[in-house]
Amino acid sequence: MKELMQKLRDASLEAISAAENIDGLEALRVKYLGKKGELTGILRQMGQLSAEERPAMGQLANALRSDIENAIEERKSALSEKLMELKLEAEAVDVTLPAKDVRIGHKHPMYNVLDQIKDIFIGMGFEIVDGPEVELADYNFTKLNIDEGHPSREWTDTFYFAEDSSILLRTQTSPMQIHAMETKPLPIRMIAPGRVYRKDEVDATHSPMFHQIEGMVIDKGITMADLKATLNKVVEKIYGEGTVTRFRPHHFPFTEPSCELDIRCHKCGGKGCPTCKGEGWIEVLGAGMVHPKVLSGCGIDPEEYSGWAFGMGLERLAMGEYKITDLRLIFENDVRFLEQF
Ligand code: DAH
């Protein structure tokens, strides 16, 4: 019996140390130590031994069981270590490999200009507001004192929705004046940049979608002097100190009086050049004192409050600033173009 155990010891330890994987080890455990395993088989023969021999044999069997168990555990941890090594090797990262070239996006030149303008107005205490591009004709026209029959309401100029002429794509950011007056507590100092839409054919200076920035101040005692002083300051920050401005009378239905603001051409100093198309002046924006009818339509008493407003095209400003000669370049988003700014 002792010999049988010695044989079992030799065979099992050899098999265990040769096992190549965890499953194989488990199979060996069953083979040697399981209920129907080889050690149990030997122990069954204990009955043939004398009472004196049994304890010593029992001890030997126990020692053999624990030796086999230990050998299995040892082999198991050696195998899993090897497995881990293989895994690490397979997943190894070559830190010396050159990185892939990541192309980072680029800020659009028009948004450079917009951010510059936002900064100027934020510095003057204005808030920036956002509003719908799909608008009611009521807000885009009627509440701005633009009557039925006004040419800008024509189907040929404005994108209306289906057959319903009460809903449209806003043609200007001016409806934001109405939204602000209807929802905000007074006084108001706001700017509202955004997209606007008109039925224009695409060419070097026209696009059916472009950007405007609206601005408005409503408070007690606001006059044309506030309009001029504020806009002169803004223009100076955009075009540089000493920029000469001119406020030219104009007509807008929602302001009274109304004006357009020109700057003396910063290229030629007013002599006339391609930048100002020979005029000596460059038109920058439309503005005026908010019409009393517009104020009262929004529930604001024109006897108590007054205000001024302006609207400015952004593309033209960016084109002037970066000497872009074709509007289409601004919307095509060709990286070769954008990367220049
Ligand atoms: N909404 C006008 C346009 O698209 C621009 C404008 C003019 C806005 C005068 C104003 C303003 O706020 O006071 O041509």
Side-chain angles (χ1 to χ4, degrees), residues 154-189:
E154 292 289 326
W155 279 73
T156 47
D157 292 338
T158 302
F159 291 105
Y160 288 97
F161 278 78
E163 298 307 309
D164 183 356
S165 57
S166 70
I167 306 172
L168 44 75
L169 291 177
R170 66 178 178 190
T171 61
Q172 49 184 355
T173 44
S174 299
M176 287 309 296
Q177 293 186 28
I178 308 296
H179 287 298
M181 285 189 271
E182 285 185 349
T183 57
K184 293 192 176 296
L186 299 170
I188 298 169
R189 276 172 188 71

Side-chain angles (χ1 to χ4, degrees), residues 268-335:
C268 63
K271 285 202 245 20
C273 71
T275 300
C276 58
K277 298 187 194 80
E279 297 282 331
W281 296 88
I282 298 169
E283 185 193 312
V284 176
L285 53 83
M289 299 304 292
V290 180
H291 199 295
K293 259 171 123 178
V294 174
L295 287 172
S296 54
C298 296
I300 296 172
D301 182 0
E303 297 296 327
E304 199 185 349
Y305 284 93
S306 55
W308 64 269
F310 76 90
M312 177 164 62
L314 272 176
E315 281 79 4
R316 185 133 42 96
L317 207 68
M319 288 170 79
E321 175 129 347
Y322 294 114
K323 300 181 190 68
I324 299 164
T325 50
D326 194 319
L327 179 61
R328 286 167 287 204
L329 290 166
I330 288 189
F331 299 119
E332 278 165 2
N333 288 333
D334 187 326
V335 282

Side-chain angles (χ1 to χ4, degrees), residues 128 139 149 163 185 194 254 256 263-264:
I128 296 166
Y139 283 77
E163 298 307 309
F254 38 92
E256 182 59 33
I263 56 163
R264 180 175 281 162

